Amino acid sequence: MTMPVLAALVRYPVKSLAGADTARAAVEPWGLSGDRRWMVTGPDGTLLTQREHPRLALAAAEPLPGGGLRLSGPGMPPLTVEVPDPATGTVVARMWRTKVEVVEAAPGAHTWLTAYLGTGARLVHLDAPGHRRPVDPEYSRPGETVNLADEFPLLLTTASSLEALNLLIAQGDHPDEGPLPMNRFRPNAVVEGTPPWAEDGWRRVRIGEVSFRVVKPCARCVVTTTDQTTGERGKEPLRTLARHRRFGDALVFGQKLIPEHTGVLRTGDPFEVLG
């Protein structure tokens, strides 16, 4: 078998907006540099995602030097957004059952997102990821933090498991919905050259110069049924995952990672299972 390698790296500058492929990314304690430091909320501070607003998939955020963004989306003029100054004060955003302090972007970003979604929206920035949001203590060590990802700093998937899943979809009730692309699963790191579903047994891995703890399988939600190029929804992959990849109450694809130290990842880096 070909030696496993890192086949793709993806960052999501704004949570739930389109991902951006990159050939190189620094690994920070809380995730990839430039990944999920921004998110969209309602006027009351509640997180808005593709779960409720699949149209978010069609909007993109181009990273700019210094951490700012250039927002774009269908029917909207591009908008440059600067990193807000935390000295202006923080607000509390709600991410499901937890709260996190964030800094609101300039009003123009709120106006842009509100027009794009057709409902009240705000853009907020995580100014201090090393202090604002601890990782679930059940799975982490003291002091470990995370950016605005759902739970953990990185999500890893494998090309072989997607191929295996697509074969199952082809044999199921909705074969016309497959094969699905990897962007349905919104990973940070995609590995090639491993056996299908081998990731279920991994506990520690190394990608290039960085080692990671594999802390938890990724439970999938309705976002995976959203075509990331059209915003339309179907039944897959959740129907097939429910039949073949149910772990307790969770429908699983991919693994959540916590970095053991900082470093740089590059596509083509060797991948190794450490335990």
Side-chain angles (χ1 to χ4, degrees), residues 1 33 60 84 86 92 243 250 263 271:
M1 178 179 289
S33 174
V92 175
R243 291 176 175 172
F271 174 82

Side-chain angles (χ1 to χ4, degrees), residues 154-213:
L154 278 86
L155 170 62
L156 178 147
T157 60
T158 69
S160 61
S161 294
L162 178 61
E163 182 178 354
L165 178 61
N166 277 325
L167 288 174
L168 293 171
I169 290 172
Q171 299 162 7
D173 297 334
H174 299 275
D176 56 308
E177 291 193 24
L180 300 181
M182 190 63 85
N183 66 9
R184 289 288 189 97
F185 302 93
R186 299 177 64 80
N188 293 114
V190 181
V191 171
E192 285 184 349
T194 60
W197 314 122
E199 60 270 27
D200 292 344
W202 298 342
R203 295 297 173 263
R204 291 182 67 238
V205 299
R206 178 183 293 120
I207 306 173
E209 63 187 43
V210 186
S211 59
F212 301 85
R213 301 198 319 276

Side-chain angles (χ1 to χ4, degrees), residues 29 69 72 117 133 139-140 155 175 186 260 266:
L69 303 169
S72 61
L117 291 178
R133 194 171 175 233
Y139 299 94
S140 65
L155 170 62
R186 299 177 64 80
E260 295 185 328
R266 301 170 180 84

Side-chain angles (χ1 to χ4, degrees), residues 10-153:
V10 190
R11 293 183 292 195
Y12 305 86
V14 179
K15 184 179 179 68
S16 253
L17 270 63
D21 291 334
T22 182
R24 179 185 185 278
V27 177
E28 298 172 331
W30 43 83
L32 295 183
S33 174
D35 185 51
R36 295 180 174 98
R37 291 287 298 276
W38 302 78
M39 69 179 183
V40 182
T41 75
D44 64 352
T46 300
L47 170 66
L48 301 182
T49 74
Q50 287 186 37
R51 293 166 178 84
E52 310 85 23
H53 299 281
R55 183 170 165 79
L56 284 171
L58 310 185
E62 176 190 355
L64 299 176
L69 303 169
R70 185 171 175 83
L71 297 176
S72 61
M76 297 294 295
L79 178 72
T80 297
V81 182
E82 302 294 337
V83 175
D85 184 354
T88 62
T90 61
V91 297
V92 175
R94 286 183 289 278
M95 300 180 67
W96 301 291
R97 291 174 293 179
T98 64
K99 297 179 180 180
V100 59
E101 285 188 57
V102 291
V103 185
E104 286 196 334
H110 309 333
T111 301
W112 193 97
L113 284 164
T114 295
Y116 180 71
L117 291 178
T119 188
R122 301 285 186 272
L123 182 65
V124 299
H125 181 256
L126 182 65
D127 65 305
H131 304 284
R132 299 289 192 205
R133 194 171 175 233
V135 178
D136 184 340
E138 182 178 351
Y139 299 94
S140 65
R141 296 171 180 171
E144 289 182 330
T145 61
V146 60
N147 53 25
L148 296 173
D150 282 358
E151 295 180 292
F152 298 97

